Amino acid sequence: MISIKSQRELDKMRKAGEVVMLVHKRLEEMIAPGVTTKELDRIAAEVIKSKGAVPSFRGVPCPYGGIDFPGVICASINNEVIHGIPGDRVLEDGDIISIDTGAILDGFHGDAARTYPVGSVSPDALRLISVTEEAFNRGMAQAVEGNRIRDISRAIQNFVEENGFSVVRDYVGHGIGREMHEEPQIPNYVSSYRGVRLTAGMTLAIEPMVNAGTWQVSVLDDRWTVVTADSSLSAHHENTIAVTDKGPEILTALY
Ligand code: MG
């Protein structure tokens, strides 16, 4: 079932989305060589709590039989694609770190990811980050009434591959609302899955995960951290958006 949100519900999702972006704003200011991912997680938890919201990620059951997710953020460094567990790892100059976080406020979720450079990073890494962000923009531009999910997927895949990178296939974007993961799935590549037609009031988490090398990935022994199969760098850009009769609107924004 795909849920269609009323104006009142969209307003609640904007508020949840703002909490998520306040977390990103704080973490972006903090990210530097010498900081641990555990410290980032602690600050994220503080921001979410200070806004009366609840973290979406903490306690999520592991799809591969590991522990429930212990963090408020996913912190995925360099060749880590998604689902990195915050811990004692210290950020180093030249790393890139993908932070994904979600919060629930007044019954609705917001979910957004960014990849940040740590100190001074290589031009190739910066290009990976900017292509991933632009891939999100290209996908979102297709989130208009009458289009299908596959139009979003195609725009993302084409842009990424034109730039010589690849899109992860094992993990996809998703509908979002009262649940963090709702229908429909939003692949970042074109498959036989055409997807539903988009209508106003649908709320979607569009989230290209882009690898510098192969699209193939594997999961570490912690049963959470997804890494690139060839150890190449990976970046992630995600926002929660709404399809409206005036076009797509980003809900994970600072108002
Ligand atoms: Mg998501």
Side-chain angles (χ1 to χ4, degrees):
M1 255 294 285
I2 295 173
S3 64
I4 302 298
K5 279 74 173 181
S6 65
Q7 286 304 322
R8 192 166 152 271
E9 289 172 325
L10 286 180
D11 212 45
K12 290 185 179 189
M13 289 192 67
R14 289 183 189 100
K15 293 196 169 82
E18 182 166 33
V19 173
V20 170
M21 293 321 291
L22 287 169
V23 173
H24 274 288
K25 186 162 172 262
R26 276 293 295 282
L27 298 189
E28 184 173 18
E29 292 162 2
M30 276 181 75
I31 286 170
V35 174
T36 66
T37 54
K38 195 162 66 182
E39 289 170 72
L40 297 174
D41 191 66
R42 185 174 61 78
I43 298 299
E46 275 181 23
V47 173
I48 291 170
K49 192 175 175 191
S50 75
K51 297 295 167 188
V54 172
S56 302
F57 291 8
R58 189 189 273 153
V60 169
C62 181
Y64 306 114
I67 58 167
D68 291 352
F69 196 78
V72 163
I73 60 170
C74 296
S76 309
I77 299 170
N78 295 338
N79 63 313
E80 297 172 354
V81 179
I82 48 169
H83 300 168
I85 298 174
D88 295 324
R89 183 160 172 186
V90 178
L91 297 182
E92 292 180 18
D93 189 57
D95 284 344
I96 61 172
I97 179 169
S98 300
I99 303 282
D100 191 356
T101 192
I104 178 166
L105 181 67
D106 203 7
F108 287 88
H109 288 266
D111 186 3
R114 296 286 185 276
T115 300
Y116 300 104
V118 181
S120 70
V121 309
S122 71
D124 283 354
L126 287 178
R127 194 171 73 86
L128 178 68
I129 292 171
S130 67
V131 165
T132 306
E133 178 173 0
E134 181 59 18
F136 165 83
N137 291 333
R138 300 287 178 107
M140 181 178 72
Q142 296 299 318
V144 294
E145 286 189 289
N147 270 0
R148 290 187 185 272
I149 295 295
R150 189 157 64 181
D151 295 308
I152 299 173
S153 309
R154 183 186 296 111
I156 290 171
Q157 182 178 24
N158 284 350
F159 184 74
V160 168
E161 293 182 354
E162 278 164 19
N163 280 280
F165 299 137
S166 66
V167 286
V168 171
R169 302 183 182 202
D170 301 49
Y171 302 89
V172 298
H174 49 93
I176 180 170
R178 288 190 182 275
E179 304 292 334
M180 183 165 62
H181 294 119
E182 297 184 352
E183 290 182 42
Q185 292 199 347
I186 308 171
N188 295 305
Y189 66 99
V190 174
S191 65
S192 56
Y193 173 76
R194 186 169 63 156
V196 292
R197 268 192 206 287
L198 301 172
T199 60
M202 287 185 183
T203 46
L204 310 171
I206 298 176
E207 51 175 321
M209 292 150 255
V210 178
N211 296 349
T214 178
W215 59 266
Q216 287 165 302
V217 297
S218 60
V219 180
L220 295 185
D221 287 343
D222 66 17
R223 301 194 182 187
W224 275 106
T225 313
V226 177
V227 296
T228 56
D230 60 3
S231 300
S232 65
L233 293 178
S234 187
H236 187 193
H237 195 97
E238 174 185 31
N239 283 298
T240 300
I241 71 136
V243 179
T244 81
D245 55 15
K246 299 180 195 68
E249 177 193 339
I250 295 181
L251 302 174
T252 38
L254 295 169
Y255 291 95

